[in-house]
Amino acid sequence: MAYYFDEPSRTFNEYLLVPGYSSKECRVENVSLKTPITKFKKGEEPKITMNIPLVSAVMQAVSDDKMAVALAKEGGISFIFGSQPVEKQAEMIRKVKTHKAGFVTSDSNLRPDQTLRDVIELKARKGHSTIAITDDGTAEGKILGLVTSRDYRVSRMDLDTKISEFMTPFDKLIYGKTGISLSEANDILWDNKLNALPIIDDNQRLTHFVFRKDYDSHKSNPNELLDSQKRYMVGAGVNTRDYEERIPALIEAGVDVLCIDSSEGYSQWQADTIAWVRERYGDDVKIGAGNVVDGEGFRYLAEAGADFVKIGIGGGSICITREQKGIGRGQATAVIEVAAARDEYFKETGIYVPICSDGGIVYDHHLTLALAMGADFIMLGRYFARFDESPTNKLNVNGNYVKEYWGEGSSRARNWQRYDLGGDPRMKFEEGVDSYVPYAGPLHDNVNLSLTKVKSTMCNCGALSIKELQEKAKLTLVSATSIVEGGAHDVILKDASSNVIK
């Protein structure tokens, strides 16, 4: 007969943390949110460690190159969506990896015989105001000059004016030679009050740029997540169908970590995909798997060689898998059980496989609960979809600003590879919805506020690291009545902006 679990599956909203002893050291500025994202052996360091425990979901409405750069600046990783052609996904990876490398390959280049109109069109398309003028209009051409926004005035010039007439010519450029260190290049930038420094070789060919904004960005984003070459780190989603074509292209583009994106990961398809990666690349390529909701699923993927395991089926705000198929589990219960399986596996093998909680986060305090229950990091979709940096449209609906947000299981995403189990293709059904989420502004401000709440709660629990939180946390189930009691009640609320009673 079927197996029945003794306890109901719980959500994060059914739990509260109970405060623990807090010493004088328990201050927000002393809390570290560093966390591993890839497996490691006891006594060794993980190959990839994040500075914050947040990653953005493998979704069209969430994770593109713009989101990846913004999140890497904060110390997390985006997993760029895989429900697109291989070439487009690889190009997004390249954009992230070249966005900040100290030495950046130019992606805005024109010839001197082109016009101001070409400059304006290129700036609108690329968003960059510094344009290299080379003999052949490529990033590797012989540099003849430079155009910045200070070199022209659209209101006072004819759009057909040749670039050669208003560019800063090569003989007036300040530049660095190939072989210069990043520190030396930055010194030249500051000493000469420049925004961009072209780097050229002995044949006057442009090799790279060094930008002042990158130096400023590093100073204002001390947690930014960089690889060994000082490039932003980025992940990508893959599936179990075209991985033999997709994965090599993403690796060539510079991806740091992969994630098999599936609604349910306890399957031979995922084991086969991981086996193919290990046979071809060994442990050099990092790949996570999932999603699972119990200890059996975790152990299967851990033994298959996954670098991390993702938890959650049906808990996402736009996911209707439970509704459509009657399959899934409450996210809190799933995280608790999988965390126990991870710890048991670590004791048995000496290999620590990080786990990622994916779905079920409604409020900021749910982040802390997920970490306390054992998650090493958290994947978020709706949360990030609300920000300026998400790839969706910002709209005004009934006087309120919103952003579009749709699930990978929706007809809009058409990501059937994520859910495909065979059968008549005419019988496909949705496992996600198309929706709106309230617009929330820039990622930087929101993430910092959310993580300040996490750190503050950790201090209340007497913990200065995620590992310490998991060791010291005390959790209690709450009744329906106490959930109501936990919010504002039995008062007449005022509008905070106008002091008008609501």
Side-chain angles (χ1 to χ4, degrees):
M1 62 178 290
Y3 177 82
Y4 291 86
F5 289 89
D6 294 330
E7 295 291 328
S9 62
R10 307 283 187 178
T11 66
F12 292 130
N13 220 38
E14 295 177 78
Y15 286 90
L16 283 175
L17 283 156
V18 175
Y21 168 72
S22 300
S23 70
K24 290 183 178 180
E25 292 299 309
C26 290
R27 299 170 58 84
V28 168
E29 59 267 27
N30 292 335
V31 175
S32 169
L33 293 178
K34 287 182 178 294
T35 192
I37 191 173
T38 55
K39 67 181 178 182
F40 58 94
K41 293 180 180 178
K42 186 176 182 179
E44 297 181 355
E45 292 294 320
K47 292 295 183 182
I48 302 178
T49 297
M50 294 191 298
N51 294 324
I52 62 172
L54 304 182
V55 299
S56 66
V58 190
M59 299 176 70
Q60 295 174 9
V62 179
S63 298
D64 65 352
D65 51 288
K66 186 178 179 182
M67 175 62 71
V69 169
L71 187 51
K73 286 181 179 179
E74 304 305 321
I77 290 180
S78 283
F79 285 88
I80 291 178
F81 69 95
S83 51
Q84 60 177 320
V86 174
E87 298 77 15
K88 289 187 177 180
Q89 189 183 21
E91 181 58 27
M92 286 187 180
I93 297 294
R94 289 191 189 91
K95 287 181 179 179
V96 178
K97 301 306 290 186
T98 59
H99 184 88
K100 182 185 186 301
F103 295 94
V104 181
T105 301
S106 175
D107 69 349
S108 294
N109 312 282
L110 293 171
R111 301 184 311 275
D113 61 330
Q114 291 181 271
T115 66
L116 177 59
R117 179 178 283 104
D118 296 313
V119 170
I120 295 169
E121 290 177 354
L122 183 61
K123 182 179 178 181
R125 189 167 72 251
K126 296 287 189 178
H128 300 155
S129 58
T130 299
I131 299 174
I133 309 305
T134 61
D135 60 348
D136 59 3
T138 70
E140 299 80 25
K142 183 177 181 180
I143 188 165
L144 303 177
L146 204 63
V147 169
T148 71
S149 56
R150 294 179 296 181
D151 291 312
Y152 60 88
R153 289 291 179 271
V154 176
S155 60
R156 299 183 180 183
M157 295 172 61
D158 190 312
L159 293 180
D160 292 323
T161 304
K162 298 290 186 184
I163 291 175
S164 58
E165 296 180 27
F166 60 87
M167 71 180 186
T168 301
F170 177 76
D171 58 8
K172 292 185 178 180
L173 289 180
I174 297 173
Y175 55 86
K177 297 287 288 186
T178 301
I180 190 175
S181 70
L182 185 57
S183 177
E184 292 170 333
N186 281 322
D187 286 342
I188 295 174
L189 283 170
W190 283 92
D191 291 344
N192 294 278
K193 299 180 181 180
L194 302 174
N195 291 323
L197 181 73
I199 308 298
I200 66 169
D201 64 16
D202 292 335
N203 297 315
Q204 199 179 314
R205 294 197 173 275
L206 179 66
T207 62
H208 298 92
F209 273 111
V210 176
F211 292 100
R212 180 170 179 164
K213 66 179 176 63
D214 288 341
Y215 178 88
D216 294 338
S217 173
H218 177 68
K219 293 302 179 182
S220 60
N221 297 286
N223 281 331
E224 61 185 359
L225 194 61
L226 306 175
D227 64 17
S228 59
Q229 300 179 52
K230 306 297 183 184
R231 302 176 300 180
Y232 285 131
M233 299 193 78
V234 60
V238 297
N239 61 66
T240 58
R241 298 296 187 266
D242 67 0
Y243 59 88
E244 293 186 19
E245 174 192 4
R246 188 174 296 271
I247 290 177
L250 299 177
I251 292 171
E252 191 277 331
V255 72
D256 295 287
V257 58
L258 301 168
C259 178
I260 302 175
D261 181 38
S262 174
S263 64
E264 198 278 302
Y266 190 0
S267 72
Q268 185 177 342
W269 287 296
Q270 295 222 358
D272 289 347
T273 303
I274 296 170
W276 182 86
V277 169
R278 296 292 174 243
E279 290 168 7
R280 181 162 180 147
Y281 301 103
D283 287 328
D284 292 337
V285 170
K286 304 303 177 185
I287 182 167
N291 287 15
V292 301
V293 291
D294 62 8
E296 281 185 23
F298 168 83
R299 182 169 284 268
Y300 179 81
L301 293 177
E303 291 176 347
D307 281 291
F308 64 85
V309 174
K310 202 146 64 76
I311 309 162
I313 296 176
S317 61
I318 40 67
C319 184
I320 53 174
T321 293
R322 297 179 193 175
E323 192 176 293
Q324 291 279 50
K325 297 167 68 173
I327 191 168
R329 202 176 193 187
Q331 189 68 2
T333 298
V335 171
I336 292 168
E337 181 174 321
V338 172
R342 175 206 54 205
D343 294 343
E344 182 181 353
Y345 186 78
F346 180 53
K347 288 179 181 178
E348 290 179 14
T349 66
I351 299 173
Y352 188 92
V353 181
I355 57 176
C356 169
S357 177
D358 175 19
I361 302 295
V362 180
Y363 305 108
D364 284 348
H365 75 271
H366 290 171
L367 300 172
T368 320
L369 286 168
L371 296 172
M373 291 173 180
D376 294 284
F377 58 101
I378 301 159
M379 178 171 279
L380 299 164
R382 180 194 62 85
Y383 177 86
F384 287 116
R386 303 172 302 147
F387 303 149
D388 289 322
E389 293 82 0
S390 75
T392 63
N393 294 319
K394 176 184 172 184
L395 306 171
N396 189 306
V397 177
N398 297 326
N400 297 310
Y401 283 107
V402 298
K403 294 207 74 176
E404 294 178 298
Y405 181 46
W406 60 92
E408 289 297 293
S410 67
S411 290
R412 181 171 183 173
R414 307 189 69 80
N415 187 8
W416 305 127
Q417 289 176 314
R418 189 177 195 270
Y419 301 86
D420 184 24
L421 292 173
D424 189 336
R426 294 172 298 176
M427 296 291 106
K428 299 294 185 186
F429 56 90
E430 288 188 301
E431 294 188 43
V433 299
D434 199 340
S435 64
Y436 301 117
V437 289
Y439 168 67
L443 179 146
H444 174 79
D445 296 341
N446 284 279
V447 165
N448 276 274
L449 178 59
S450 295
L451 294 181
T452 296
K453 294 179 186 179
V454 171
K455 291 179 179 180
S456 180
T457 307
M458 288 172 64
C459 288
N460 293 143
C461 297
L464 295 177
S465 68
I466 292 173
K467 183 178 180 182
E468 192 175 10
L469 174 67
Q470 292 166 352
E471 293 170 350
K472 293 184 175 182
K474 296 181 291 184
L475 294 119
T476 181
L477 280 167
V478 294
S479 67
T481 303
S482 64
I483 291 175
V484 174
E485 181 185 68
H489 60 91
D490 301 313
V491 294
I492 300 172
L493 295 179
K494 293 190 296 184
D495 187 315
S497 61
S498 64
N499 287 332
V500 174
I501 294 176
K502 297 170 69 176

